[in-house]
Structures are given as C-alpha cells and as structure tokens.
Amino acid sequence: MRKAATMRVPLFPLAGAILFPRSQLPLHIFEARYRDMVRDALDGAGQIGMIQPLSSEEGRPPLYAVGCVGEIVGVEELEDGRYNIVLSGSNRFRIVAETELGTDYRNAEIDPAAFDDREPPPLPLALRSDVEQEARRLGDVLGLAVDWAAVGRLDDEMLVNAIAQVAPFDIGAKQALLEAESLEARADLLAQLMQFQRMATSAGADIE
C-alpha cells in the first residue's frame, strides 16, 4: 500500500466552486480571514486548497474530503485590501487531517497524490458528442447566449471541466464530478446531470 507523502495547504471552503487540474478559477476575496490567507499564500508556496463544505452552517462546517490544489497565477490587490485572484489547478487531493496553525482560516495536511491527474486520453467521439449536445439543450432551456462554435473548439478536458464548473448543479453533484476517477467517467456523469437539470428546469417552467 502506498504511504501518502503529505503537504500542508491553507483551505478555502466555498460551496459550488470546484477546481480541476489544468483548469482555472477566478475568485474575489473579500473576507478578512481569506485576505490573510491570500497574503500568507503569496508569501509562501503560492498555493490554496479549494474544497467544498458539506453544509451551509456558520463557523467551521464539515468539509468534503476531496479538493484541488490551486496555484495562484494571477493576483490584483484592491485599495481596500480585497483581492481578485486566479487559481490554476495542479492536482486533486484528499484531506489527511486538519491542522491548527493559529490562523483565522483553516489549514490541512493533504495527500496530493490521491488521484491520477496526468493528462487524460481523448474522449470517445460518441461521448464527446453527447456532452456537446446536452450542453446545447441545457443552454437553450436556461436561455443562455453561448458561442457554440468556440465551445466546439475546446479540447475534451477543457470542455468537460468548464461545463462542470459553471453548470447550475447542487453541491453534491459538483463534488461527484470533481471526484470522478477519469475524464471519461466525469463526461458520462456530466451528460446525465445536464439531462436531468434540463428536464427538471423544463418541468418547473411547465408548472409555472
């Protein structure tokens, strides 16, 4: 059995926000504790662990066990101390244990090699087509203006992960997409979730 080589990262729990390896996530940082987190990260390794809370309770809600390490690749400090940052995903992780370091934000020892996050092989053509088709259908139901020609030029990984990040799924669905073992498994789940979301949205509109 592989023994985990752990590393320590600050945690940014944010419901509905998921980051994937080789994808980017823009964030607006305004809470004092997370402004401190960004300053400390910039002074250190420049990394933040993005993770979702299991509940919306105040204080220190329980967290999902799996998140993604984000490298700070863009930063703008505003005059009032807030930040606009851009994270680039490096690898998914599994929390080993939270650590108390005397900061207002949370920290954890993580296993950064819990998943095989090497660049994946291309999707089967039929699955790629299903994802694009369901994305178009969902976009139409939601009334979104989308440049589908530009979407069609995205590579498989960028297409699947970008939709997973922005689609209006609940926290549990987002987490399932994050934890999918392979890009093919994530794409298959994504197509199913988009179909379900489209049907549910259409049914709601019919009722109204």
Side-chain angles (χ1 to χ4, degrees):
M1 180 179 294
R2 177 183 63 86
K3 185 177 180 180
T6 65
M7 61 182 282
R8 182 180 296 160
V9 293
L11 296 177
F12 188 21
L14 187 59
I18 51 175
L19 179 64
F20 297 98
R22 292 171 295 279
S23 71
Q24 293 193 339
L25 180 65
L27 294 167
H28 178 62
I29 308 297
F30 58 91
E31 283 190 56
R33 55 180 167 170
Y34 296 126
R35 296 201 302 264
D36 291 343
M37 177 192 69
V38 169
R39 281 192 291 269
D40 291 347
L42 291 171
D43 289 339
Q47 297 176 321
I48 291 172
M50 288 301 302
I51 199 155
Q52 291 198 113
L54 275 162
S55 72
S56 58
E57 67 183 68
E58 296 293 328
R60 293 173 63 93
L63 305 174
Y64 279 99
V66 173
C68 185
V69 175
E71 309 278 349
I72 301 176
V73 295
V75 59
E76 176 189 19
E77 184 174 4
L78 305 178
E79 291 184 359
D80 59 2
R82 293 174 295 137
Y83 287 94
N84 291 321
I85 65 172
V86 177
L87 297 181
S88 178
S90 59
N91 52 280
R92 290 175 294 170
F93 64 82
R94 191 176 299 277
I95 288 181
V96 176
E98 286 201 53
T99 54
E100 293 296 336
L101 300 179
T103 60
D104 289 336
Y105 56 86
R106 298 163 76 169
N107 299 269
E109 292 288 334
I110 63 168
D111 176 4
F115 296 87
D116 181 358
D117 281 331
R118 291 174 292 182
E119 191 166 344
L123 293 175
L125 292 179
L127 181 54
R128 164 80 188 215
S129 178
D130 285 347
V131 170
E132 288 196 41
Q133 186 178 61
E134 287 300 335
R136 283 174 177 266
R137 289 172 174 171
L138 180 58
D140 288 345
V141 168
L142 296 175
L144 302 179
V146 179
D147 184 348
W148 293 113
V151 171
R153 291 192 293 269
L154 297 176
D155 65 45
D156 292 345
E157 185 179 36
M158 189 175 294
L159 171 73
V160 170
N161 291 348
I163 295 172
Q165 284 182 308
V166 303
F169 303 141
D170 63 29
I171 294 174
K174 294 258 187 178
Q175 190 68 25
L177 289 164
L178 176 65
E179 295 187 21
E181 287 293 333
S182 66
L183 181 64
E184 185 170 343
R186 181 176 302 133
D188 183 63
L189 176 60
L190 178 63
Q192 295 179 53
L193 288 169
M194 286 191 292
Q195 182 181 45
F196 177 81
Q197 186 73 39
R198 171 172 56 84
M199 295 171 64
T201 302
S202 297
D206 290 343
I207 291 173
E208 293 175 358

